[in-house]
Amino acid sequence: MTLSRRTHPRPLDIKNGRVDMTHGGGGRSMAQLVDELFVAAFDNEVLSQGNDQGAFTVPGGRMVMSTDGYVISPMFFPGGDIGSLAVHGTVNDVAMAGAVPIGLSAGFIIEEGFPLADLERVVKSMAAASKATGVPVMTGDTKVVEKGKGDGLFITTAGIGMVPPGIDISGDKARPGDVIMVSGTMGDHGVAVMSQRESLGFETEILSDSAALHTMVADMVTVAPGIRVLRDPTRGGLAATLNEIAVQSGVGMEIRERDIPIKPQVLGACELLGLDPLYVANEGKLICICGPDDAESVLAAMQAHPLGVDAKMIGVCDEDPHYFVRMKTAIGGTRVVDWLAGEQLPRIC
Amino acid sequence: MTLSRRTHPRPLDIKNGRVDMTHGGGGRSMAQLVDELFVAAFDNEVLSQGNDQGAFTVPGGRMVMSTDGYVISPMFFPGGDIGSLAVHGTVNDVAMAGAVPIGLSAGFIIEEGFPLADLERVVKSMAAASKATGVPVMTGDTKVVEKGKGDGLFITTAGIGMVPPGIDISGDKARPGDVIMVSGTMGDHGVAVMSQRESLGFETEILSDSAALHTMVADMVTVAPGIRVLRDPTRGGLAATLNEIAVQSGVGMEIRERDIPIKPQVLGACELLGLDPLYVANEGKLICICGPDDAESVLAAMQAHPLGVDAKMIGVCDEDPHYFVRMKTAIGGTRVVDWLAGEQLPRIC
């Protein structure tokens, strides 16, 4: 939940309105729901930081907490499943504060009639992801709802982590002149899920990039403790996430289309599916914004890590009173990369 | 999720079985699902503690984390709603380690078509509960699922807290001779929800006891840092929770029916609804087990707190190789208070 206050053309019609699929899509409607209903009601300092995790202080130092619900459909997809995703996604939200993850909680909402064999498959995958990342599932809960009142299985994980001294990463810290990087190719996860959902038989299977990024982040903050912003471009993809950060930091951005890494098969699938890869979800990639003096060393740290071999500098922050994200297109023009207006990909995570 | 290893007459049929409503009911079936599928897969030290919260150490001390999903139906009930419950329930799970709650995360899974006015009502109630308890909602997430794939609104909260030095409360610490207490009347929450669900028009409305117990717990551990066990008797009620603790600690228990506080109107409603109040959920009560030397001072601390005025000593722990919970009935006999076998009250929290 990114909770920066943004302006919206028309306020939500809370009296007569209903939740629709766009409210979960990672775009402008979701931002409006979060701002006008959730942030307005909770109105507290930690939540108002507007990051994907809340930061707070304990006697031993600074910590963060984050949560995400996983409602992905289909539950099993090339490169992962709802169980591994529920570990990776929340570990990543914790890591995006530069924090070292400590542990996770997991809440399961199961629909009556769900096969125990599928449940075991998910839980084993989750346990394997937890062991591989070294982040234990420390506590859990199971609820069962009647047949027809759920959709197989929903998982909500929360995660906590400890922020190393001297690290202060937040979505409001980007400054004009800062360099924008991505850790790898864009759109793999969303396209893997969509091609599964649409039963598209591509010649080369496209795998989700679902992965835990905390060890790469640890390498990055070691070489550059002054990194300003880290965020994983999940729902709404690179475009929505850059727009969130631009508004939160009060900067403009200019990115270069030719430098954004996208796999040819993902580009091809996007054309077939009518998707723009800049708006497609990622689950094992991050956006990093840092001062120009740190850029080379951060890029090198990413590229030296197995999950960052395709990392690239893709643009810079600049001054822009409208906080627009602009893109130099491959053919030399410039276009505004806007928020996602509607719901492009429902239940992608 | 209470995760002690227990023995079950027949192992789960994971290959061919399906999740049914008893797996969410707080009784023996749920314990078996948790043991044989979840604990077996995750197999880590923190989870295997078998408590409603996981404990771990950070540089500043000992902390706990807990999570619960809320799927209660109906969402609005006398004395509360899913929003206030999602705050109180998780604050209580943190407090049952003797911990001082720090903050909560909240994940919302919303069904398409859910009225924004209802969502706002829930979120405002949650925010009010959070402010009243002094435990902020620090981070959140919203997901939307298609109409017919959910049931209005599910909320999963996670909570973290810091355990004061010298406190070590856990479900495995009860010893023969220890005194068993409850902080107030049993069954109020479950009966309030059931009477709403069945549209029973009682002359006096029965209200849920939904409340946050952390300040009472703070008073209790101040007078008796050596308290052995605290647990809130939610799903499955007093009976299921005492059985969990008996198995976890390896003790028997003898409780006295005449000392268990139950409101006359709750008793009457239970008779009408065919429920046993010992198995009915509570959301603002706790069970405390402590050494006999601490019992009087702990009881006095509870009774001095507004949420513990009806606190009572209800029994003692003893040696029993079968870990049975036995009850001296009001008419002078003794009966075994067994686990709940099936699903008594679906979706009570």
Side-chain angles (χ1 to χ4, degrees), chain A residues 1-6 8 12 23-24 27-42 47 50 235, chain B residues 108 119 123 140-143:
Chain A
M1 197 188 272
T2 301
L3 297 154
S4 61
R5 290 188 183 277
R6 284 155 287 220
H8 303 283
L12 274 181
H23 290 119
R28 203 189 286 274
S29 297
M30 188 175 91
Q32 183 172 22
L33 181 75
V34 167
D35 286 348
E36 294 180 17
L37 206 148
F38 290 91
V39 178
F42 288 117
L47 198 65
R235 276 183 291 180
Chain B
F108 298 83
L119 183 61
V123 171
D141 178 61
T142 55
K143 292 290 186 305

PDB file of all heavy atoms in Angstrom, chain A residues 1-6 8 12 23-24 27-42 47 50 235, chain B residues 108 119 123 140-143:
ATOM      1  N   MET A   1       0.853  -1.192   0.000  1.00  0.00           N
ATOM      2  CA  MET A   1       0.000   0.000   0.000  1.00  0.00           C
ATOM      3  C   MET A   1       0.886   1.238   0.000  1.00  0.00           C
ATOM      4  O   MET A   1       1.607   1.483   0.955  1.00  0.00           O
ATOM      5  CB  MET A   1      -0.875   0.007   1.262  1.00  0.00           C
ATOM      6  CG  MET A   1      -2.055   0.936   1.180  1.00  0.00           C
ATOM      7  SD  MET A   1      -2.937   1.112   2.760  1.00  0.00           S
ATOM      8  CE  MET A   1      -4.106  -0.234   2.680  1.00  0.00           C
ATOM      9  N   THR A   2       0.859   1.949  -1.079  1.00  0.00           N
ATOM     10  CA  THR A   2       1.615   3.187  -1.112  1.00  0.00           C
ATOM     11  C   THR A   2       0.642   4.309  -0.822  1.00  0.00           C
ATOM     12  O   THR A   2      -0.408   4.414  -1.440  1.00  0.00           O
ATOM     13  CB  THR A   2       2.287   3.358  -2.478  1.00  0.00           C
ATOM     14  OG1 THR A   2       3.130   2.240  -2.651  1.00  0.00           O
ATOM     15  CG2 THR A   2       3.087   4.620  -2.526  1.00  0.00           C
ATOM     16  N   LEU A   3       0.981   5.095   0.137  1.00  0.00           N
ATOM     17  CA  LEU A   3      -0.023   5.909   0.782  1.00  0.00           C
ATOM     18  C   LEU A   3       0.274   7.396   0.729  1.00  0.00           C
ATOM     19  O   LEU A   3      -0.057   8.140   1.643  1.00  0.00           O
ATOM     20  CB  LEU A   3      -0.148   5.458   2.239  1.00  0.00           C
ATOM     21  CG  LEU A   3      -0.628   4.011   2.381  1.00  0.00           C
ATOM     22  CD1 LEU A   3      -0.154   3.414   3.660  1.00  0.00           C
ATOM     23  CD2 LEU A   3      -2.123   3.962   2.291  1.00  0.00           C
ATOM     24  N   SER A   4       0.953   7.824  -0.315  1.00  0.00           N
ATOM     25  CA  SER A   4       1.202   9.259  -0.398  1.00  0.00           C
ATOM     26  C   SER A   4      -0.107   9.957  -0.765  1.00  0.00           C
ATOM     27  O   SER A   4      -0.977   9.406  -1.416  1.00  0.00           O
ATOM     28  CB  SER A   4       2.234   9.531  -1.484  1.00  0.00           C
ATOM     29  OG  SER A   4       1.760   9.096  -2.733  1.00  0.00           O
ATOM     30  N   ARG A   5      -0.236  11.150  -0.313  1.00  0.00           N
ATOM     31  CA  ARG A   5      -1.430  11.923  -0.668  1.00  0.00           C
ATOM     32  C   ARG A   5      -1.269  12.472  -2.083  1.00  0.00           C
ATOM     33  O   ARG A   5      -0.308  13.120  -2.409  1.00  0.00           O
ATOM     34  CB  ARG A   5      -1.627  13.064   0.335  1.00  0.00           C
ATOM     35  CG  ARG A   5      -2.047  12.523   1.678  1.00  0.00           C
ATOM     36  CD  ARG A   5      -2.448  13.639   2.628  1.00  0.00           C
ATOM     37  NE  ARG A   5      -2.779  13.058   3.907  1.00  0.00           N
ATOM     38  CZ  ARG A   5      -3.975  12.525   4.182  1.00  0.00           C
ATOM     39  NH1 ARG A   5      -4.929  12.510   3.272  1.00  0.00           N
ATOM     40  NH2 ARG A   5      -4.206  12.008   5.365  1.00  0.00           N
ATOM     41  N   ARG A   6      -2.194  12.159  -2.928  1.00  0.00           N
ATOM     42  CA  ARG A   6      -2.171  12.641  -4.299  1.00  0.00           C
ATOM     43  C   ARG A   6      -3.484  13.351  -4.550  1.00  0.00           C
ATOM     44  O   ARG A   6      -4.441  13.181  -3.805  1.00  0.00           O
ATOM     45  CB  ARG A   6      -2.061  11.447  -5.258  1.00  0.00           C
ATOM     46  CG  ARG A   6      -0.663  10.886  -5.297  1.00  0.00           C
ATOM     47  CD  ARG A   6      -0.677   9.448  -5.699  1.00  0.00           C
ATOM     48  NE  ARG A   6      -1.180   8.622  -4.622  1.00  0.00           N
ATOM     49  CZ  ARG A   6      -0.687   7.435  -4.293  1.00  0.00           C
ATOM     50  NH1 ARG A   6       0.332   6.924  -4.942  1.00  0.00           N
ATOM     51  NH2 ARG A   6      -1.209   6.730  -3.309  1.00  0.00           N
ATOM     52  N   HIS A   8      -6.795  13.824  -6.864  1.00  0.00           N
ATOM     53  CA  HIS A   8      -7.574  13.070  -7.826  1.00  0.00           C
ATOM     54  C   HIS A   8      -8.646  13.993  -8.376  1.00  0.00           C
ATOM     55  O   HIS A   8      -9.163  14.855  -7.672  1.00  0.00           O
ATOM     56  CB  HIS A   8      -8.177  11.836  -7.156  1.00  0.00           C
ATOM     57  CG  HIS A   8      -7.120  10.963  -6.548  1.00  0.00           C
ATOM     58  ND1 HIS A   8      -6.333  10.139  -7.298  1.00  0.00           N
ATOM     59  CD2 HIS A   8      -6.686  10.839  -5.270  1.00  0.00           C
ATOM     60  CE1 HIS A   8      -5.466   9.526  -6.501  1.00  0.00           C
ATOM     61  NE2 HIS A   8      -5.651   9.928  -5.275  1.00  0.00           N
ATOM     62  N   LEU A  12     -13.880  10.169  -4.331  1.00  0.00           N
ATOM     63  CA  LEU A  12     -14.634   8.911  -4.308  1.00  0.00           C
ATOM     64  C   LEU A  12     -16.073   9.173  -3.880  1.00  0.00           C
ATOM     65  O   LEU A  12     -16.310   9.952  -2.960  1.00  0.00           O
ATOM     66  CB  LEU A  12     -14.051   7.969  -3.247  1.00  0.00           C
ATOM     67  CG  LEU A  12     -12.894   7.047  -3.555  1.00  0.00           C
ATOM     68  CD1 LEU A  12     -12.585   6.237  -2.301  1.00  0.00           C
ATOM     69  CD2 LEU A  12     -13.194   6.127  -4.727  1.00  0.00           C
ATOM     70  N   HIS A  23      -9.958  -0.924  -8.346  1.00  0.00           N
ATOM     71  CA  HIS A  23      -9.455  -0.552  -7.026  1.00  0.00           C
ATOM     72  C   HIS A  23      -8.360  -1.485  -6.520  1.00  0.00           C
ATOM     73  O   HIS A  23      -7.746  -1.228  -5.486  1.00  0.00           O
ATOM     74  CB  HIS A  23     -10.611  -0.499  -6.015  1.00  0.00           C
ATOM     75  CG  HIS A  23     -11.552   0.637  -6.231  1.00  0.00           C
ATOM     76  ND1 HIS A  23     -12.885   0.476  -6.500  1.00  0.00           N
ATOM     77  CD2 HIS A  23     -11.332   1.978  -6.250  1.00  0.00           C
ATOM     78  CE1 HIS A  23     -13.467   1.665  -6.664  1.00  0.00           C
ATOM     79  NE2 HIS A  23     -12.536   2.595  -6.513  1.00  0.00           N
ATOM     80  N   GLY A  24      -8.134  -2.591  -7.221  1.00  0.00           N
ATOM     81  CA  GLY A  24      -7.059  -3.504  -6.822  1.00  0.00           C
ATOM     82  C   GLY A  24      -5.928  -3.557  -7.824  1.00  0.00           C
ATOM     83  O   GLY A  24      -5.026  -4.376  -7.684  1.00  0.00           O
ATOM     84  N   GLY A  27      -3.196   1.014 -10.014  1.00  0.00           N
ATOM     85  CA  GLY A  27      -3.175   2.271 -10.752  1.00  0.00           C
ATOM     86  C   GLY A  27      -3.791   3.415  -9.969  1.00  0.00           C
ATOM     87  O   GLY A  27      -3.784   3.435  -8.744  1.00  0.00           O
ATOM     88  N   ARG A  28      -4.343   4.364 -10.722  1.00  0.00           N
ATOM     89  CA  ARG A  28      -4.830   5.597 -10.119  1.00  0.00           C
ATOM     90  C   ARG A  28      -6.034   5.357  -9.198  1.00  0.00           C
ATOM     91  O   ARG A  28      -6.139   5.970  -8.132  1.00  0.00           O
ATOM     92  CB  ARG A  28      -5.215   6.576 -11.243  1.00  0.00           C
ATOM     93  CG  ARG A  28      -5.213   8.032 -10.826  1.00  0.00           C
ATOM     94  CD  ARG A  28      -5.808   8.920 -11.908  1.00  0.00           C
ATOM     95  NE  ARG A  28      -4.928   9.107 -13.055  1.00  0.00           N
ATOM     96  CZ  ARG A  28      -3.983  10.060 -13.124  1.00  0.00           C
ATOM     97  NH1 ARG A  28      -3.792  10.868 -12.108  1.00  0.00           N
ATOM     98  NH2 ARG A  28      -3.249  10.180 -14.204  1.00  0.00           N
ATOM     99  N   SER A  29      -6.930   4.435  -9.596  1.00  0.00           N
ATOM    100  CA  SER A  29      -8.116   4.168  -8.763  1.00  0.00           C
ATOM    101  C   SER A  29      -7.725   3.589  -7.414  1.00  0.00           C
ATOM    102  O   SER A  29      -8.298   3.930  -6.387  1.00  0.00           O
ATOM    103  CB  SER A  29      -9.042   3.160  -9.444  1.00  0.00           C
ATOM    104  OG  SER A  29      -9.538   3.655 -10.625  1.00  0.00           O
ATOM    105  N   MET A  30      -6.759   2.691  -7.435  1.00  0.00           N
ATOM    106  CA  MET A  30      -6.325   2.095  -6.178  1.00  0.00           C
ATOM    107  C   MET A  30      -5.690   3.155  -5.289  1.00  0.00           C
ATOM    108  O   MET A  30      -5.968   3.219  -4.087  1.00  0.00           O
ATOM    109  CB  MET A  30      -5.349   0.951  -6.410  1.00  0.00           C
ATOM    110  CG  MET A  30      -5.040   0.191  -5.128  1.00  0.00           C
ATOM    111  SD  MET A  30      -4.011  -1.262  -5.408  1.00  0.00           S
ATOM    112  CE  MET A  30      -2.378  -0.555  -5.196  1.00  0.00           C
ATOM    113  N   ALA A  31      -4.870   4.001  -5.902  1.00  0.00           N
ATOM    114  CA  ALA A  31      -4.237   5.070  -5.137  1.00  0.00           C
ATOM    115  C   ALA A  31      -5.290   5.967  -4.491  1.00  0.00           C
ATOM    116  O   ALA A  31      -5.166   6.370  -3.331  1.00  0.00           O
ATOM    117  CB  ALA A  31      -3.329   5.887  -6.051  1.00  0.00           C
ATOM    118  N   GLN A  32      -6.362   6.237  -5.248  1.00  0.00           N
ATOM    119  CA  GLN A  32      -7.419   7.099  -4.712  1.00  0.00           C
ATOM    120  C   GLN A  32      -8.141   6.433  -3.541  1.00  0.00           C
ATOM    121  O   GLN A  32      -8.394   7.057  -2.512  1.00  0.00           O
ATOM    122  CB  GLN A  32      -8.425   7.434  -5.824  1.00  0.00           C
ATOM    123  CG  GLN A  32      -9.508   8.388  -5.345  1.00  0.00           C
ATOM    124  CD  GLN A  32     -10.402   8.886  -6.472  1.00  0.00           C
ATOM    125  OE1 GLN A  32     -10.505   8.267  -7.521  1.00  0.00           O
ATOM    126  NE2 GLN A  32     -11.045  10.020  -6.255  1.00  0.00           N
ATOM    127  N   LEU A  33      -8.468   5.148  -3.684  1.00  0.00           N
ATOM    128  CA  LEU A  33      -9.124   4.412  -2.593  1.00  0.00           C
ATOM    129  C   LEU A  33      -8.253   4.437  -1.345  1.00  0.00           C
ATOM    130  O   LEU A  33      -8.721   4.698  -0.227  1.00  0.00           O
ATOM    131  CB  LEU A  33      -9.387   2.962  -3.019  1.00  0.00           C
ATOM    132  CG  LEU A  33     -10.089   2.087  -1.974  1.00  0.00           C
ATOM    133  CD1 LEU A  33     -11.569   2.448  -1.888  1.00  0.00           C
ATOM    134  CD2 LEU A  33      -9.933   0.601  -2.292  1.00  0.00           C
ATOM    135  N   VAL A  34      -6.976   4.173  -1.539  1.00  0.00           N
ATOM    136  CA  VAL A  34      -6.047   4.132  -0.408  1.00  0.00           C
ATOM    137  C   VAL A  34      -5.956   5.509   0.247  1.00  0.00           C
ATOM    138  O   VAL A  34      -6.048   5.642   1.471  1.00  0.00           O
ATOM    139  CB  VAL A  34      -4.664   3.631  -0.885  1.00  0.00           C
ATOM    140  CG1 VAL A  34      -3.606   3.877   0.174  1.00  0.00           C
ATOM    141  CG2 VAL A  34      -4.735   2.152  -1.241  1.00  0.00           C
ATOM    142  N   ASP A  35      -5.830   6.554  -0.566  1.00  0.00           N
ATOM    143  CA  ASP A  35      -5.671   7.908  -0.023  1.00  0.00           C
ATOM    144  C   ASP A  35      -6.927   8.377   0.699  1.00  0.00           C
ATOM    145  O   ASP A  35      -6.868   8.855   1.825  1.00  0.00           O
ATOM    146  CB  ASP A  35      -5.391   8.908  -1.155  1.00  0.00           C
ATOM    147  CG  ASP A  35      -3.982   8.780  -1.705  1.00  0.00           C
ATOM    148  OD1 ASP A  35      -3.169   8.086  -1.078  1.00  0.00           O
ATOM    149  OD2 ASP A  35      -3.719   9.360  -2.765  1.00  0.00           O
ATOM    150  N   GLU A  36      -8.073   8.266   0.012  1.00  0.00           N
ATOM    151  CA  GLU A  36      -9.282   8.937   0.509  1.00  0.00           C
ATOM    152  C   GLU A  36     -10.009   8.123   1.561  1.00  0.00           C
ATOM    153  O   GLU A  36     -10.773   8.676   2.354  1.00  0.00           O
ATOM    154  CB  GLU A  36     -10.210   9.279  -0.668  1.00  0.00           C
ATOM    155  CG  GLU A  36      -9.571  10.312  -1.580  1.00  0.00           C
ATOM    156  CD  GLU A  36     -10.437  10.710  -2.777  1.00  0.00           C
ATOM    157  OE1 GLU A  36     -11.663  10.450  -2.776  1.00  0.00           O
ATOM    158  OE2 GLU A  36      -9.875  11.278  -3.727  1.00  0.00           O
ATOM    159  N   LEU A  37      -9.792   6.829   1.585  1.00  0.00           N
ATOM    160  CA  LEU A  37     -10.518   6.023   2.567  1.00  0.00           C
ATOM    161  C   LEU A  37      -9.569   5.515   3.657  1.00  0.00           C
ATOM    162  O   LEU A  37      -9.775   5.771   4.837  1.00  0.00           O
ATOM    163  CB  LEU A  37     -11.216   4.871   1.838  1.00  0.00           C
ATOM    164  CG  LEU A  37     -12.459   4.322   2.523  1.00  0.00           C
ATOM    165  CD1 LEU A  37     -13.477   3.831   1.510  1.00  0.00           C
ATOM    166  CD2 LEU A  37     -12.101   3.206   3.469  1.00  0.00           C
ATOM    167  N   PHE A  38      -8.481   4.845   3.276  1.00  0.00           N
ATOM    168  CA  PHE A  38      -7.618   4.224   4.290  1.00  0.00           C
ATOM    169  C   PHE A  38      -6.722   5.244   5.005  1.00  0.00           C
ATOM    170  O   PHE A  38      -6.740   5.348   6.222  1.00  0.00           O
ATOM    171  CB  PHE A  38      -6.764   3.110   3.676  1.00  0.00           C
ATOM    172  CG  PHE A  38      -7.564   1.900   3.291  1.00  0.00           C
ATOM    173  CD1 PHE A  38      -8.096   1.768   2.022  1.00  0.00           C
ATOM    174  CD2 PHE A  38      -7.802   0.892   4.211  1.00  0.00           C
ATOM    175  CE1 PHE A  38      -8.845   0.650   1.672  1.00  0.00           C
ATOM    176  CE2 PHE A  38      -8.544  -0.225   3.876  1.00  0.00           C
ATOM    177  CZ  PHE A  38      -9.070  -0.342   2.601  1.00  0.00           C
ATOM    178  N   VAL A  39      -5.942   5.985   4.249  1.00  0.00           N
ATOM    179  CA  VAL A  39      -5.004   6.920   4.884  1.00  0.00           C
ATOM    180  C   VAL A  39      -5.762   7.983   5.665  1.00  0.00           C
ATOM    181  O   VAL A  39      -5.373   8.361   6.779  1.00  0.00           O
ATOM    182  CB  VAL A  39      -4.064   7.574   3.848  1.00  0.00           C
ATOM    183  CG1 VAL A  39      -3.127   8.565   4.515  1.00  0.00           C
ATOM    184  CG2 VAL A  39      -3.256   6.500   3.128  1.00  0.00           C
ATOM    185  N   ALA A  40      -6.883   8.428   5.085  1.00  0.00           N
ATOM    186  CA  ALA A  40      -7.687   9.444   5.770  1.00  0.00           C
ATOM    187  C   ALA A  40      -8.153   8.929   7.128  1.00  0.00           C
ATOM    188  O   ALA A  40      -8.107   9.641   8.131  1.00  0.00           O
ATOM    189  CB  ALA A  40      -8.882   9.828   4.899  1.00  0.00           C
ATOM    190  N   ALA A  41      -8.601   7.681   7.196  1.00  0.00           N
ATOM    191  CA  ALA A  41      -9.118   7.136   8.457  1.00  0.00           C
ATOM    192  C   ALA A  41      -7.998   6.863   9.454  1.00  0.00           C
ATOM    193  O   ALA A  41      -8.088   7.222  10.619  1.00  0.00           O
ATOM    194  CB  ALA A  41      -9.910   5.854   8.196  1.00  0.00           C
ATOM    195  N   PHE A  42      -6.941   6.219   8.995  1.00  0.00           N
ATOM    196  CA  PHE A  42      -5.910   5.800   9.960  1.00  0.00           C
ATOM    197  C   PHE A  42      -5.046   6.972  10.411  1.00  0.00           C
ATOM    198  O   PHE A  42      -4.632   7.036  11.558  1.00  0.00           O
ATOM    199  CB  PHE A  42      -5.042   4.673   9.384  1.00  0.00           C
ATOM    200  CG  PHE A  42      -5.768   3.364   9.315  1.00  0.00           C
ATOM    201  CD1 PHE A  42      -6.021   2.745   8.109  1.00  0.00           C
ATOM    202  CD2 PHE A  42      -6.216   2.765  10.480  1.00  0.00           C
ATOM    203  CE1 PHE A  42      -6.703   1.541   8.057  1.00  0.00           C
ATOM    204  CE2 PHE A  42      -6.899   1.562  10.444  1.00  0.00           C
ATOM    205  CZ  PHE A  42      -7.147   0.944   9.226  1.00  0.00           C
ATOM    206  N   LEU A  47       2.108   5.334   8.850  1.00  0.00           N
ATOM    207  CA  LEU A  47       1.397   5.006   7.615  1.00  0.00           C
ATOM    208  C   LEU A  47       1.554   6.123   6.593  1.00  0.00           C
ATOM    209  O   LEU A  47       1.655   5.883   5.393  1.00  0.00           O
ATOM    210  CB  LEU A  47      -0.079   4.776   7.930  1.00  0.00           C
ATOM    211  CG  LEU A  47      -0.910   4.020   6.906  1.00  0.00           C
ATOM    212  CD1 LEU A  47      -0.434   2.592   6.756  1.00  0.00           C
ATOM    213  CD2 LEU A  47      -2.373   4.020   7.304  1.00  0.00           C
ATOM    214  N   GLY A  50       4.019   6.770   3.421  1.00  0.00           N
ATOM    215  CA  GLY A  50       3.689   6.503   2.033  1.00  0.00           C
ATOM    216  C   GLY A  50       4.570   5.470   1.364  1.00  0.00           C
ATOM    217  O   GLY A  50       4.687   5.442   0.144  1.00  0.00           O
ATOM    218  N   ARG A 235       2.334  -4.659  -8.952  1.00  0.00           N
ATOM    219  CA  ARG A 235       1.108  -4.234  -9.654  1.00  0.00           C
ATOM    220  C   ARG A 235       1.280  -2.876 -10.312  1.00  0.00           C
ATOM    221  O   ARG A 235       1.701  -1.932  -9.663  1.00  0.00           O
ATOM    222  CB  ARG A 235      -0.046  -4.100  -8.655  1.00  0.00           C
ATOM    223  CG  ARG A 235      -0.751  -5.367  -8.355  1.00  0.00           C
ATOM    224  CD  ARG A 235      -1.902  -5.107  -7.411  1.00  0.00           C
ATOM    225  NE  ARG A 235      -1.457  -4.724  -6.071  1.00  0.00           N
ATOM    226  CZ  ARG A 235      -2.277  -4.433  -5.061  1.00  0.00           C
ATOM    227  NH1 ARG A 235      -3.582  -4.455  -5.263  1.00  0.00           N
ATOM    228  NH2 ARG A 235      -1.818  -4.120  -3.869  1.00  0.00           N
TER     229      ARG A 235
ATOM    230  N   PHE B 108      -6.348  -6.204   3.308  1.00  0.00           N
ATOM    231  CA  PHE B 108      -7.780  -6.264   3.006  1.00  0.00           C
ATOM    232  C   PHE B 108      -7.994  -7.025   1.698  1.00  0.00           C
ATOM    233  O   PHE B 108      -7.373  -6.685   0.689  1.00  0.00           O
ATOM    234  CB  PHE B 108      -8.344  -4.848   2.839  1.00  0.00           C
ATOM    235  CG  PHE B 108      -8.230  -4.003   4.086  1.00  0.00           C
ATOM    236  CD1 PHE B 108      -7.039  -3.336   4.386  1.00  0.00           C
ATOM    237  CD2 PHE B 108      -9.288  -3.885   4.963  1.00  0.00           C
ATOM    238  CE1 PHE B 108      -6.920  -2.568   5.537  1.00  0.00           C
ATOM    239  CE2 PHE B 108      -9.179  -3.111   6.115  1.00  0.00           C
ATOM    240  CZ  PHE B 108      -7.992  -2.455   6.406  1.00  0.00           C
ATOM    241  N   LEU B 119     -17.221  -0.294   3.530  1.00  0.00           N
ATOM    242  CA  LEU B 119     -15.766  -0.346   3.686  1.00  0.00           C
ATOM    243  C   LEU B 119     -15.296   0.794   4.577  1.00  0.00           C
ATOM    244  O   LEU B 119     -14.472   0.609   5.482  1.00  0.00           O
ATOM    245  CB  LEU B 119     -15.096  -0.273   2.305  1.00  0.00           C
ATOM    246  CG  LEU B 119     -13.578  -0.395   2.299  1.00  0.00           C
ATOM    247  CD1 LEU B 119     -13.125  -1.736   2.873  1.00  0.00           C
ATOM    248  CD2 LEU B 119     -13.029  -0.233   0.873  1.00  0.00           C
ATOM    249  N   VAL B 123     -13.318   0.531   8.116  1.00  0.00           N
ATOM    250  CA  VAL B 123     -11.990   1.130   8.257  1.00  0.00           C
ATOM    251  C   VAL B 123     -12.003   2.174   9.374  1.00  0.00           C
ATOM    252  O   VAL B 123     -11.050   2.265  10.163  1.00  0.00           O
ATOM    253  CB  VAL B 123     -11.514   1.725   6.913  1.00  0.00           C
ATOM    254  CG1 VAL B 123     -10.252   2.541   7.086  1.00  0.00           C
ATOM    255  CG2 VAL B 123     -11.269   0.603   5.904  1.00  0.00           C
ATOM    256  N   GLY B 140      -0.230  -1.384   5.180  1.00  0.00           N
ATOM    257  CA  GLY B 140      -1.419  -2.097   4.740  1.00  0.00           C
ATOM    258  C   GLY B 140      -1.360  -2.476   3.279  1.00  0.00           C
ATOM    259  O   GLY B 140      -0.422  -2.120   2.559  1.00  0.00           O
ATOM    260  N   ASP B 141      -2.378  -3.226   2.854  1.00  0.00           N
ATOM    261  CA  ASP B 141      -2.458  -3.666   1.460  1.00  0.00           C
ATOM    262  C   ASP B 141      -3.922  -3.908   1.137  1.00  0.00           C
ATOM    263  O   ASP B 141      -4.688  -4.354   1.991  1.00  0.00           O
ATOM    264  CB  ASP B 141      -1.670  -4.966   1.275  1.00  0.00           C
ATOM    265  CG  ASP B 141      -1.766  -5.502  -0.144  1.00  0.00           C
ATOM    266  OD1 ASP B 141      -1.338  -4.783  -1.071  1.00  0.00           O
ATOM    267  OD2 ASP B 141      -2.285  -6.617  -0.337  1.00  0.00           O
ATOM    268  N   THR B 142      -4.316  -3.602  -0.097  1.00  0.00           N
ATOM    269  CA  THR B 142      -5.674  -3.915  -0.539  1.00  0.00           C
ATOM    270  C   THR B 142      -5.621  -4.757  -1.802  1.00  0.00           C
ATOM    271  O   THR B 142      -4.860  -4.458  -2.717  1.00  0.00           O
ATOM    272  CB  THR B 142      -6.481  -2.638  -0.864  1.00  0.00           C
ATOM    273  OG1 THR B 142      -5.749  -1.865  -1.824  1.00  0.00           O
ATOM    274  CG2 THR B 142      -6.719  -1.802   0.367  1.00  0.00           C
ATOM    275  N   LYS B 143      -6.426  -5.799  -1.826  1.00  0.00           N
ATOM    276  CA  LYS B 143      -6.624  -6.591  -3.043  1.00  0.00           C
ATOM    277  C   LYS B 143      -8.119  -6.670  -3.311  1.00  0.00           C
ATOM    278  O   LYS B 143      -8.920  -6.635  -2.372  1.00  0.00           O
ATOM    279  CB  LYS B 143      -6.075  -8.016  -2.860  1.00  0.00           C
ATOM    280  CG  LYS B 143      -4.561  -8.109  -2.740  1.00  0.00           C
ATOM    281  CD  LYS B 143      -3.858  -7.807  -4.032  1.00  0.00           C
ATOM    282  CE  LYS B 143      -2.356  -8.022  -3.983  1.00  0.00           C
ATOM    283  NZ  LYS B 143      -1.642  -7.295  -2.923  1.00  0.00           N
TER     284      LYS B 143
END
